[in-house]
Amino acid sequence: MKYAAFFSAAVAGLIGSAAAVGVSGSAEGFAKGVTGGGSATPVYPSTTDELVSYLGDSEARVIVLEKTFDFRGTEGTTTSTGCAPWGTASACQVAINQNDWCTNYEPDAPSVSVSYDNAGVLGITVGSNKSIIGVGSKGVIKGKGLRMVSGAENVIIQNIAITDINPKYVWGGDAITLNNVDMVWIDHVTTARIGRQHIVLGTSADNRVSITNHYLDGETDYSATCDGYHYWGMYFDGSSDMVTLKDSYIYRTSGRAPKVAGNTLLHAVNNYWYDNSGHAFEVGSGAYILAEGNVFQNVDTVVETPTSGQMFSVPSTSSGTSCTASLGRACVINGFGSSGTLSETDTDFLNNFKGKNIASASAYTSVVSTVNSNAGYGKL
């Protein structure tokens, strides 16, 4: 009886531990209130097939990753003719001729042979009402990204890494894709060695998205700028997008970090851009960007010019009260070190923030230590 009681207590303890697994904290900014898989019983995939099944089914799920899921080689490889728009040096990316991209847009580029992993080209479909959670620094997906499209909503991705998606090849795959979704929170995620975009929001509406504590690691052996700095960082291009980007680390990029266009309201707050060889923001038509409390260190060009959209950054001599009527508080200034600066002072769009869930902002002086301590997976 003594052993039976001990066994029962041990089992109860394990069940209680499993049931306690869940999302840490709550979303801030536009996706505030997202619940993901809620209180669903956690599942622990052990194979790539199980992971794909859990992510894509119609059940509310809390999906816990305790290992590395390596998709490289699971769908075979393709060898074909691509192109080299940026040169054939060993540090240059080359491009897959996806949808005749080389033929239509780079007809004068040298032709090259490309051999890429098929799994990376299209991400894993993620359905609605999912929480995807990594345990410590164990939750890693290699060789394939995540893809939320066609009305998916209420998704949380927390404390995982997505890495090694055909890094040599443009059009080799994206880490996280959103298109026609709502209420998505991406938190404490690391993306590294990606062929194309680390995070991309497609042309359909992505209504409420919060990206927090993200680590975009742009260090790479292959780059469109041939310098070890990843060019294709983040692309926000939806027809009705609201994106909060907060407390994130954008490291060693050379462009599109982010590119914003379409009809996108972006609140970039308390992020740290460090060691970027090209431009950070590309401001396209339909972009509405509020940048406050960020730090730009060793960033050659903070905003690529000319700009087509609108952007506001508090001038260093201002109190930031231009934001008060729309945000309910003053905006805070950005910090710059060995970098270009921000001089965009458009304010007409700030009323678009009225009535929305707005992230708080801290002084830029605390950003570097906060981001270094918290951004990326394995920090929870």
Side-chain angles (χ1 to χ4, degrees), residues 98-271:
Q98 181 169 306
N99 298 323
D100 293 324
W101 183 81
C102 292
T103 306
N104 294 331
Y105 297 100
E106 297 290 345
D108 298 326
S111 295
V112 293
S113 177
V114 298
S115 183
Y116 57 91
D117 194 86
N118 294 334
V121 175
L122 192 65
I124 307 166
T125 298
V126 179
S128 298
N129 305 313
K130 309 289 185 186
S131 297
I132 307 148
I133 306 167
V135 175
S137 57
K138 296 178 181 178
V140 180
I141 301 174
K142 281 191 174 184
K144 200 171 184 70
L146 299 176
R147 185 170 179 263
M148 285 141 278
V149 298
S150 303
E153 61 183 11
N154 193 32
V155 176
I156 297 171
I157 306 169
Q158 188 175 73
N159 197 44
I160 69 169
I162 302 173
T163 70
D164 302 287
I165 302 175
N166 287 318
K168 186 175 181 179
Y169 299 111
V170 175
W171 305 115
D174 303 312
I176 298 176
T177 301
L178 309 178
N179 196 38
N180 187 26
V181 303
D182 189 21
M183 292 294 278
V184 175
W185 181 28
I186 301 164
D187 178 60
H188 283 92
V189 172
T190 295
T191 51
R193 300 176 298 281
I194 307 300
R196 184 68 168 175
Q197 308 288 350
H198 284 241
I199 302 178
V200 55
L201 276 59
T203 55
S204 296
D206 299 299
N207 293 305
R208 292 168 290 178
V209 177
S210 292
I211 304 165
T212 56
N213 302 292
H214 186 75
Y215 178 19
L216 192 163
D217 183 356
E219 186 168 8
T220 180
D221 291 332
Y222 310 100
S223 167
T225 42
C226 308
D227 60 356
Y229 292 73
H230 190 72
Y231 180 80
W232 322 99
M234 296 175 280
Y235 190 11
F236 305 145
D237 189 33
S239 62
S240 182
D241 290 3
M242 297 187 294
V243 183
T244 299
L245 177 66
K246 183 175 181 183
D247 292 336
S248 294
Y249 185 30
I250 298 97
Y251 172 63
R252 283 185 72 98
T253 59
S254 56
R256 293 192 175 188
K259 178 178 180 178
V260 187
N263 179 30
T264 299
L265 183 66
L266 172 63
H267 187 196
V269 53
N270 290 152
N271 304 291

Side-chain angles (χ1 to χ4, degrees), residues 72-98:
R72 294 173 298 178
T74 60
E75 299 176 27
T77 59
T78 293
T79 299
S80 61
T81 299
C83 60
W86 308 285
T88 56
S90 60
C92 295
Q93 276 191 309
V94 295
I96 298 167
N97 193 22
Q98 181 169 306

Side-chain angles (χ1 to χ4, degrees), residues 283-343:
V283 185
S285 178
Y288 305 99
I289 304 168
L290 170 60
E292 57 166 337
N294 303 289
V295 173
F296 301 89
Q297 178 72 44
N298 296 0
V299 181
D300 286 358
T301 304
V302 176
V303 178
E304 184 184 51
T305 55
T307 61
S308 301
Q310 298 183 48
M311 187 173 188
F312 179 73
S313 169
V314 182
S316 59
T317 56
S318 170
S319 64
T321 55
S322 299
C323 299
T324 303
S326 300
L327 273 67
R329 60 168 175 78
C331 286
V332 300
I333 64 172
N334 298 288
F336 306 90
S338 302
S339 296
T341 59
L342 282 167
S343 57

